[in-house]
Amino acid sequence: MSGPDVKYAHALRAALDRALADDPRVVVFGEDVAIAGGIFGVTRGLHAAHGDRVFDTPISENLIVGMAVGMAVRGLRPVAELQYAYFGFSAGDLVFLKAATWRYAHDGAVDLPMVVRMACGGGGIGPEHSQCT
């Protein structure tokens, strides 16, 4: 998959599909990522291909990032999706004070191999979601 016709969402989906296929520790989750395929369709088809390792969560950014932190500490490789980057502020404590610092705060005794994916932009959805009007 390459060339000028490849959309960013398609490249992300291909990377997630490959990670899920290659490593059974990878899990992908967030609001509407399994059944609906994500807010921009990035995860479309991944639940069908990889089953329960791609799943929907409640609407709670703290829960989503907190689950990712806990899963990473326990040896999984979570990819947590927040629908919009703006929602990262809701989970700021977990993103900036837990996920980003625990390894260093605990002298390397804790690894947190995780990704928090946050889309930016989209337009036309109002200031409550992406600060794009």
Side-chain angles (χ1 to χ4, degrees):
M1 171 175 292
S2 64
D5 295 332
V6 175
K7 304 289 186 224
Y8 195 73
H10 298 151
L12 283 170
R13 183 182 316 116
L16 289 170
D17 188 37
R18 174 83 181 262
L20 286 157
D22 288 352
D23 190 343
R25 297 172 298 173
V26 173
V27 291
V28 177
F29 55 92
E31 299 163 13
D32 298 324
V33 301
I35 305 305
I39 194 72
F40 295 109
V42 169
T43 57
R44 190 172 294 130
L46 294 180
H47 177 71
H50 301 283
D52 290 340
R53 290 174 44 224
V54 179
F55 59 93
D56 292 329
T57 65
I59 300 172
S60 173
E61 287 74 26
N62 281 322
L63 172 120
I64 294 166
V65 178
M67 279 182 18
V69 168
M71 289 174 160
V73 167
R74 299 295 296 165
L76 294 175
R77 304 288 193 254
V79 178
E81 180 179 311
L82 304 183
Q83 285 186 338
Y84 299 98
Y86 183 67
F87 295 165
F89 292 108
S90 297
D93 172 58
L94 289 155
V95 172
F96 305 114
L97 301 178
K98 303 293 187 291
T101 64
W102 271 11
R103 178 176 182 161
Y104 305 101
H106 295 282
D107 199 28
V110 177
D111 279 329
L112 290 129
M114 58 181 276
V115 172
V116 178
R117 214 175 71 70
M118 297 182 260
C120 186
I125 53 175
E128 291 81 15
H129 285 82
S130 71
Q131 295 299 304
C132 295
T133 56

